[in-house]
Amino acid sequence: MTTQTDPTRRSILTAGAAAVALGSFAATRGTAQSANAPAGNSTAPQGRRMLGALEVSAIGLGVQNHSRTFQTTIPNRSEMHNIIGTAFDEGITFFDTAEVYGPHESERILGEASSAFRDQIQIATKFGFNVDLETGAWAPGLISRPSHIKQAVEGSLQRLGTDRIDLLYQHRVDPEVPIEDVAGAVKGLMDEGKVLHWGLSEMGPNTLRRAHAALPVSAVQNEYSMLWRGPEDGLLALCAELGIGFVPFSPLGYGFLTGAIDMGTSFAPGDFRAGTSRMDTENRQANLALVDLVKSWADRKNAAPSQIALAWLLAQGPSIVPIPGTTQMPHMLENAGAAAINFTPDELAELNGQVAAIDVQGARMPAMVEAWSDVEAPPRA
């Protein structure tokens, strides 16, 4: 049986700090971005960041699990609407979903919840997994054929209740389709005004260079957290070189960095985390050193552990925009408050050194899932 999540287990940011962070978000909330915004603009108002030419809130909200949780239960739909609406009220304007989440239901929930403020937010969604366009049935394999991309986007637009997608990602690289063909299909959608910016997720570095040369890429979305620092091995530098923003998914290590998982935690059947060897008993024991470190800094900075983990990511670069996901209101508010946590240069150097000194044990994903990462698209004939 899975350990139940306690809505109050993660302490809420002090009222004063929350007001600073969320007030700065709200004061600078943007409207829908144009694909014609000048490229290479790396400056943004306080509380906001640039993904290429797309301005977003410094912290986003991932709504992947708003149709189901790690515990395989179905969240209350009206409460998910409430969380999304409250996130917007508090200044979060960057919302992340995908056709495969649900499948389809995450996009529907986000569309329902955001209809009243659609023009004031930035929506990111993704294509690329083999999801039936009508039924949402998920079959093996990846599909990024140009004709399929256009159909997938039409479905996403309908479910989201919108006429354009602010940021469209290729969810995983299709090993059968040249990335130039993918870029061409997205360019056609941009010309129609249905897509404003595009990005890639978990692609190989050469594919990213080729994609950017074919059609400027605004953002890369990959896993990145204190628990998984793989992007530091060249990808972050490549994004900085090309002027591409970086969006970390699972920035809290699937909840691990919040302290919600300990040696007594068990996982429900089907819970993704149970299939990652870093959660195996012996590896988890070693990896809890990261949780202890985060908790010590939380005490030091009068913050919550999740806020330290997110603030650390924000401090790694000016175009990094984490998208923590949650189905609980207190956690969303707490995550949003991470933007108020700052490190002095000396503090950041100290924390970076401490994080680097911990050797995380185990793989981040099951082997069959990790096989979709760092894939290089085939050359164009």
Side-chain angles (χ1 to χ4, degrees):
M1 181 175 180
T2 301
T3 300
Q4 296 297 309
T5 305
D6 179 358
T8 62
R9 67 162 170 78
R10 288 162 54 187
S11 60
I12 302 302
L13 179 71
T14 58
V20 171
L22 302 176
S24 67
F25 279 168
T28 57
R29 181 183 296 129
T31 57
Q33 301 291 308
S34 166
N36 297 319
N41 178 13
S42 61
T43 61
Q46 182 181 6
R48 300 186 66 78
R49 293 194 167 195
M50 302 301 299
L51 300 175
L54 176 65
E55 183 185 308
V56 299
S57 52
I59 291 178
L61 176 64
V63 301
Q64 173 179 356
N65 290 329
H66 283 202
S67 60
R68 64 109 178 107
T69 70
F70 286 128
Q71 293 80 27
T72 70
T73 59
I74 299 175
N76 180 277
R77 200 177 191 91
S78 63
E79 179 58 13
M80 298 307 99
H81 292 167
N82 189 25
I83 288 172
I84 292 168
T86 303
F88 171 74
D89 289 341
E90 301 292 359
I92 291 177
T93 68
F94 186 42
F95 296 87
D96 183 271
T97 184
E99 65 168 353
V100 76
Y101 300 160
H104 291 175
E105 279 305 295
S106 172
E107 288 182 324
R108 292 191 181 104
I109 291 168
L110 178 56
E112 293 160 3
S114 64
S115 60
F117 46 84
R118 170 63 187 98
D119 289 344
Q120 295 172 273
I121 63 173
Q122 301 82 45
I123 289 177
T125 193
K126 312 174 194 74
F127 67 87
F129 280 106
N130 190 4
V131 177
D132 186 275
L133 295 167
E134 297 298 327
T135 67
W138 190 2
L142 300 165
I143 298 181
S144 283
R145 295 190 302 269
S147 60
H148 185 88
I149 293 171
K150 294 176 182 179
Q151 292 176 296
V153 167
E154 290 297 336
S156 291
L157 290 170
Q158 182 179 12
R159 290 185 292 273
L160 288 164
T162 187
D163 61 353
R164 80 280 181 192
I165 294 165
D166 299 281
L167 177 58
L168 177 70
Y169 294 102
Q170 183 188 40
H171 209 156
R172 292 294 187 274
V173 172
D174 187 334
E176 303 297 325
V177 180
I179 198 63
E180 292 82 3
D181 292 351
V182 175
V186 175
K187 176 63 164 59
L189 291 163
M190 286 182 170
D191 291 343
E192 296 178 50
K194 294 177 179 178
V195 172
L196 303 186
H197 304 265
W198 86 301
L200 291 86
S201 180
E202 295 283 338
M203 73 288 114
N206 292 333
T207 295
L208 179 57
R209 286 190 181 276
R210 289 167 52 197
H212 190 65
L215 182 67
V217 172
S218 290
V220 161
Q221 183 177 129
N222 276 47
E223 183 174 354
Y224 183 34
S225 71
M226 289 181 176
L227 192 63
W228 171 249
R229 296 169 56 215
E232 295 176 3
D233 294 332
L235 182 56
L236 291 178
L238 177 57
C239 288
E241 173 194 335
L242 299 178
I244 297 171
F246 193 90
V247 178
F249 71 79
S250 302
L252 298 175
Y254 298 98
F256 187 75
L257 296 171
T258 69
I261 297 171
D262 58 26
M263 293 307 296
T265 302
S266 59
F267 299 103
D271 190 319
F272 173 87
R273 295 170 293 186
T276 62
S277 62
R278 65 188 179 190
M279 290 296 112
D280 291 349
T281 301
E282 63 278 10
N283 292 333
R284 193 190 311 181
Q285 182 68 64
N287 296 338
L288 282 170
L290 268 178
V291 177
D292 293 339
L293 175 62
V294 170
K295 287 180 176 179
S296 70
W297 275 88
D299 291 341
R300 181 169 168 178
K301 303 292 284 186
N302 191 28
S306 64
Q307 294 168 344
I308 295 299
L310 292 171
W312 177 82
L313 278 172
L314 291 172
Q316 301 308 306
S319 294
I320 292 177
V321 179
I323 48 168
T326 183
T327 59
Q328 299 192 51
M329 183 72 79
H331 298 175
M332 183 278 293
L333 293 170
E334 183 178 281
N335 294 341
I341 308 301
N342 296 302
F343 302 108
T344 67
D346 287 345
E347 286 176 333
L348 183 59
E350 179 185 356
L351 179 54
N352 281 342
Q354 292 170 333
V355 171
I358 296 173
D359 185 15
V360 174
Q361 302 294 306
R364 69 182 179 116
M365 293 180 172
M368 65 173 292
V369 179
E370 195 158 7
W372 291 327
S373 298
D374 299 321
V375 173
E376 299 288 2
R380 198 173 197 181

